[in-house]
Amino acid sequence: DAMVIQNPRYQVTQFGKPVTLSCSQTLNHNVMYWYQQKSSQAPKLLFHYYDKDFNNEADTPDNFQSRRPNTSFCFLDIRSPGLGDAAMYLCATSRGTGDNQPQHFGDGTRLSIL
Amino acid sequence: GQNIDQPTEMTATEGAIVQINCTYQTSGFNGLFWYQQHAGEAPTFLSYNVLDGLEEKGRFSSFLSRSKGYSYLLLKELQMKDSASYLCAVLDSNYQLIWGAGTKLIIKP
């Protein structure tokens, strides 16, 4: 039944060791988003794809990269995680980016940095 | 700059009614969303308003006044499972979603 699936739910990595988070969707939505959310804060948009068009937010650190090899999958790569990158990473999808296009979220991956 | 304001935390009693307010200042407006987020889980969509007035969906209703830059989420007949954070998010003129930090709602028996 899950329509936006994130793996793994919990990820532990070492300081500076690259890590990849994955997201897949069965909704056939055009848009996929990656958010970072820290405790009691608003989700912070890192990037989004409209189909294959990649949109990077101006304040997303260069340490964060993303790939969308096809409609269903999207990956978040963190090249050299620092302690400040410990957070919940949320993947979301939407049919489009216009009005009344709610975003559907996966369960998130909670990233811990040792 | 763009800004969404919500109270940080509210407490209510099981069976009661609670109103969670949201005020916004954004560059343009293309609609306002409310999401529910249980601790450690992802946000789930509750409602969308783009025209002024009240939208009712079961125990939950959402109100919008565009001239005042104001919305509220009304929860009736509160249940313990309604304990969660409620996030307000506004779609600006560029169709970017601007998020509030959320209101943590605590329900007491």
Side-chain angles (χ1 to χ4, degrees):
Chain A
D1 279 324
M3 294 176 287
V4 182
I5 304 157
Q6 290 188 245
N7 283 306
R9 287 294 307 276
Y10 299 93
Q11 175 75 56
V12 181
T13 192
Q14 290 180 328
F15 182 94
K17 186 173 180 182
V19 65
T20 294
L21 310 182
S22 73
C23 177
S24 63
Q25 56 133 341
T26 59
L27 296 164
N28 205 31
H29 280 174
N30 294 312
V31 193
M32 294 187 80
Y33 307 81
W34 278 106
Y35 287 92
Q36 179 194 67
Q37 188 180 27
K38 298 189 176 179
S39 183
S40 303
Q41 294 184 20
K44 178 181 182 302
L45 183 64
L46 297 172
F47 349 78
H48 75 276
Y49 280 90
Y50 198 119
D51 292 328
K52 288 190 180 293
D53 289 339
F54 175 69
N55 297 272
N56 193 24
E57 293 304 298
D59 56 354
T60 298
D62 292 339
N63 202 20
F64 290 80
Q65 308 274 314
S66 184
R67 297 170 280 137
R68 188 179 185 186
N70 53 51
T71 302
S72 301
F73 286 88
C74 198
F75 300 96
L76 172 63
D77 301 306
I78 308 176
R79 287 191 297 186
S80 183
L83 297 177
D85 297 328
M88 173 78 92
Y89 289 87
L90 296 165
C91 173
T93 74
S94 65
R95 187 171 287 113
T97 56
D99 51 298
N100 202 9
Q101 302 278 356
Q103 295 181 17
H104 300 266
F105 286 83
D107 286 335
T109 294
R110 183 166 294 283
L111 179 66
S112 299
I113 314 294
L114 298 180
Chain B
Q2 311 212 77
N3 199 44
I4 309 273
D5 285 314
Q6 310 179 230
T8 306
E9 189 175 294
M10 297 181 72
T11 303
T13 306
E14 192 177 13
I17 298 173
V18 72
Q19 177 175 312
I20 302 174
N21 295 326
C22 169
T23 57
Y24 61 89
Q25 300 93 38
T26 56
S27 54
F29 179 84
N30 280 302
L32 184 145
F33 295 86
W34 282 97
Y35 282 82
Q36 180 191 59
Q37 187 175 25
H38 285 100
E41 297 181 14
T44 55
F45 168 71
L46 289 178
S47 67
Y48 171 78
N49 294 70
V50 68
L51 299 176
D52 289 350
L54 189 68
E55 296 275 346
E56 297 187 72
K57 242 190 216 184
R59 293 189 300 114
F60 292 10
S61 304
S62 56
F63 172 83
L64 176 68
S65 168
R66 287 171 296 171
S67 61
K68 294 180 180 173
Y70 167 69
S71 173
Y72 67 72
L73 181 69
L74 192 72
L75 291 77
K76 301 178 192 172
E77 299 166 20
L78 285 170
Q79 301 174 10
M80 296 305 291
K81 68 178 182 179
D82 298 330
S83 291
S85 286
Y86 291 86
L87 293 97
C88 172
V90 171
L91 207 55
D92 72 7
S93 56
N94 293 321
Y95 292 97
Q96 294 267 59
L97 202 55
I98 312 300
W99 292 85
T103 298
K104 183 178 179 181
L105 178 63
I106 300 166
I107 311 292
K108 295 188 173 175

